[in-house]
Each structure stands twice: as C-alpha cells, then as structure tokens.
Amino acid sequence: MIEINLLPVSEIREKEKKRFKVSVSLLLTSLVIVVCVYLKWTANQKERNLDENIGKINEEIKRLDLLIKEVAQLKNEKEALEKRLKVAETLEKGRLEAAVIMMDLSKRVPEKLWLEGLEKRGELVKCSGIALDEETIADFMTALKGSSYIKKVELESVTKQSIGGVNLKKFVLTCEFRMD
C-alpha cells in the first residue's frame, strides 16, 4: 500500500509556524513576567533599605535634638553663672573700694578734724565732718588732692556750730574717687 499524504505540505508548515509563534509568545510572555517580578522584588528591597535608613536618620535626629536641648540648657546655665560672677566681682570691687577709701581718708585726716559721715554714689564720695577752723578744712582738702585715688575735691558747705561752748566748723566735701 501506498501512503498518500492528504494534507498538503504548506498546511503542515503553517501549523508548525503557528506552533512556533505560540511557543515564542509564551516564552517571551514568561520572560517579561520574570523580569517584572525581578524588578518588583528589587524595588521592594530598595524600599526596605530606604525605610531602614529613614528610621536610623529619625533616631539620629531625636538624639541630636536632645543634645541641642542640653547645649541650650548649658548655655543658659553658663549665662546665669556669668551674671552671678559679674555681680560677685562688682561686690568685691565695691568692698575693695570702700576699704581703699577708708584707708586713704584715715591717712589724710588732720588732728583737728573729725569725720562724721561718708556717702559713696558711683564715683562721688561725700564727706561730712567737723573741724576746729577753716584752715584745717583747707589742709584736709589739700591732703585729699594729693591722693592717687581722688581726682577732684570740692567744698560744698561750711557752717558754724557750737559744741560744748567751742565754736567749730561743720563742713561737707565732695570728692571724685577712681581706682585705676
């Protein structure tokens, strides 16, 4: 028996071409799906890494915020301490000035003169007292002018005062005191 192929050759080739095209299409579709899955997976990995980095950065920001608050608090404490130190220095300077004024005046007071009061306001020192006569007051003013701490001496007033039957002179002087 002879076998005859009833299907034409061209139809067989067509079928094979169709089958090849379907196979290639399925293969390409599979490849595209694999590539898409891979890209999605890498994007997810990058997103996780970025989320971790953001978390670390937020923790660092919180830590640095605490440090900034501590620095601000220390700065405020430093300013308060500097103010206290300035006040202490001013008080110490005032205490020293008072001692220097008293020492300087005590060296320059003549025998026939008595100081009744001292008042210091800024650089001005007001001295009030009693002297036997105007000459003693003048000697006291001259002695004060010789001081390195006293720059200017002015007589404000002189009045007569009788104490125990003795005529004395009550006076008020203003001096400019500087500790340079």
Side-chain angles (χ1 to χ4, degrees):
M1 213 163 149
I2 297 178
E3 286 186 35
I4 299 179
N5 190 358
L6 298 173
L7 292 171
V9 173
S10 63
E11 284 181 20
I12 293 175
R13 282 190 182 155
E14 289 284 324
K15 280 184 178 181
E16 283 181 14
K17 280 184 182 179
K18 273 185 177 180
R19 205 178 306 146
F20 179 75
K21 284 181 181 179
V22 168
S23 296
V24 168
S25 295
L26 287 175
L27 185 63
L28 285 176
T29 305
S30 299
L31 182 64
V32 167
I33 290 172
V34 167
V35 168
C36 287
V37 168
Y38 174 75
L39 291 175
K40 177 66 176 166
W41 180 78
T42 56
N44 286 342
Q45 286 296 103
K46 285 182 182 179
E47 184 181 357
R48 270 190 232 111
N49 288 339
L50 289 175
D51 285 343
E52 287 176 11
N53 287 341
I54 289 172
K56 288 178 184 177
I57 289 171
N58 285 336
E59 288 176 11
E60 184 71 13
I61 287 172
K62 287 178 186 176
R63 188 182 68 80
L64 292 176
D65 281 343
L66 290 174
L67 286 176
I68 288 171
K69 287 178 185 176
E70 286 181 32
V71 167
Q73 183 181 7
L74 290 174
K75 193 175 186 180
N76 289 339
E77 289 175 7
K78 178 185 173 194
E79 288 174 2
L81 288 174
E82 285 175 349
K83 286 179 184 176
R84 287 182 184 173
L85 185 61
K86 238 180 202 177
V87 168
E89 287 174 355
T90 303
L91 290 174
E92 185 67 29
K93 183 181 177 188
R95 193 177 95 185
L96 180 64
E97 283 180 353
V100 169
I101 290 171
M102 293 301 293
M103 183 181 73
D104 200 39
L105 285 177
S106 68
K107 289 180 183 177
R108 299 181 189 291
V109 173
E111 272 186 41
K112 299 173 187 176
L113 185 132
W114 301 271
L115 291 177
E116 290 183 320
L118 285 174
E119 183 180 333
K120 184 175 183 309
R121 289 188 184 173
E123 291 184 349
L124 294 179
V125 177
K126 191 178 254 189
C127 302
S128 59
I130 298 175
L132 190 61
D133 53 24
E134 286 93 356
E135 187 178 323
T136 306
I137 297 170
D139 290 344
F140 182 53
M141 288 176 67
T142 305
L144 287 176
K145 287 179 184 175
S147 170
S148 60
Y149 300 113
I150 296 175
K151 305 299 179 202
K152 184 177 167 184
V153 179
E154 291 180 5
L155 182 62
E156 282 189 16
S157 66
V158 176
T159 56
K160 290 183 183 181
Q161 185 175 359
S162 180
I163 298 177
V166 179
N167 288 332
L168 300 172
K169 306 294 180 183
K170 186 171 181 124
F171 66 92
V172 177
L173 294 174
T174 303
C175 307
E176 191 175 314
F177 179 82
R178 287 192 197 152
M179 280 187 66
D180 295 329

